[in-house]
Amino acid sequence: MGLVQWLKGQFLCHLIICYGFLVSGLLVNLLQICTLPLWPINKQLARRINCKLGYSLTSQSVALLEWWSGTEVTFYTDPADYQFYGKENAIIVLNHNFEIDFLCGWTFCDRFGVLGASKCLAKKELSYLPVIGWMWYFLEMVFIKRKWEEDKRSFVQSLQNLRDYPENFWFLLHCEGTRFTEEKHQISMEVAEKKGLPKLKHHLLPRTKGFWVAVQNLRGTVAAVYCCTLNFRNNETPTLLGVINGKKYHPDLYIRRIPLESVPEDEAECSSWLHKLYQEKDQFQEDYSHTGCFPGPVVTPLRGPWALINWIGWTCLLLYPLYLLLVQLVLSGSILTILATVAFCSAGP
């Protein structure tokens, strides 16, 4: 194990990473609150400012994945589709099998310049949490309670609000509704058998109602559905803790661009279309388990330096007052205080 890799596994480094993310997140939240008076005056400018503020926080996670752990997503896609990425609004349909699939999704967004304006469907409870939840509130994320009768009106209204969004955005949908586990898969396939639907091996049954409502309300605003299928080489089981410890993973992401006009408008036909899409995704995953790769050529979008520069900038800014505090501790001459500080910084989990 090299020195750099050893340092990445130290508690002090993890403490600095968490401290930087949480404190910068609270400062971002404060700046977002300061944009409130601007909303009735110039709504689009307020939105653009919040996109930049959102990027300054979420890009830290991208930098953690790409620059700290050394993980780089390999993208498989048709070159004819590649030219559209980042230049249009889109609905992202991504499988939900892994603990860090959201990080890989954010990396995809960052490579094509839409990370700050990226959207997702999230639990209502998250909107009350400082840092991520409050940031998402100002970025106009779509929050739901998972009770359709209560969610229908707010869900539709949130989608309608995106129709005049000033930045290109991607709207992420985990149509399975929850992360894949063997227990959930067994229950899901029992439902599939009762409904006479083909069984899936690598996915849960998609929940079609939310997808259909999203498509109907974003027609004319969104140009395409990006069907994204994620897997990891060598049967890796990635974890967020592994990323923080600097462990390198090897994700592969297969993207297919499907023009929105090819998605049926009728609810029943749209439901059948989505089930067929997941049967295709399931076959891609099955083929991947045998071949170790997805179909189509590999593309390598440029990895810009801005996520790293932003992360380093926040870290330096927030560590400076701690450095001054440390200097004061040393100059105080209190051996007990210095030893206590060293012991805390050296402690492991």
Side-chain angles (χ1 to χ4, degrees), residues 252-272:
D252 290 323
L253 183 64
Y254 178 43
I255 309 119
R256 290 188 297 157
R257 180 184 182 274
I258 305 168
L260 199 68
E261 54 265 24
S262 67
V263 181
E265 294 193 28
D266 178 75
E267 182 175 1
E269 292 179 6
C270 183
S271 175
S272 298

Side-chain angles (χ1 to χ4, degrees), residues 7 72 80 106 133 175 255 284 307 315 349:
L7 285 172
E72 186 164 356
W106 281 357
C175 293
I255 309 119
F284 291 138
T315 302

Side-chain angles (χ1 to χ4, degrees), residues 189-256:
M189 292 308 99
E190 290 173 358
V191 173
E193 187 173 1
K194 290 178 181 178
K195 293 185 175 181
L197 296 169
K199 291 187 177 182
L200 305 174
K201 185 176 181 180
H202 305 280
H203 298 83
L204 308 178
L205 279 181
R207 301 181 181 184
T208 60
K209 172 72 76 173
F211 176 79
W212 175 73
V213 172
V215 168
Q216 290 303 100
N217 283 276
L218 292 176
R219 286 189 187 276
T221 303
V222 163
V225 172
Y226 295 171
C227 178
C228 299
T229 306
L230 177 70
N231 212 325
F232 286 77
R233 290 173 223 163
N234 306 317
N235 295 315
E236 291 176 333
T237 305
T239 65
L240 186 57
L241 182 59
V243 172
I244 294 174
N245 277 308
K247 184 175 182 180
K248 182 176 182 178
Y249 296 108
H250 304 84
D252 290 323
L253 183 64
Y254 178 43
I255 309 119
R256 290 188 297 157

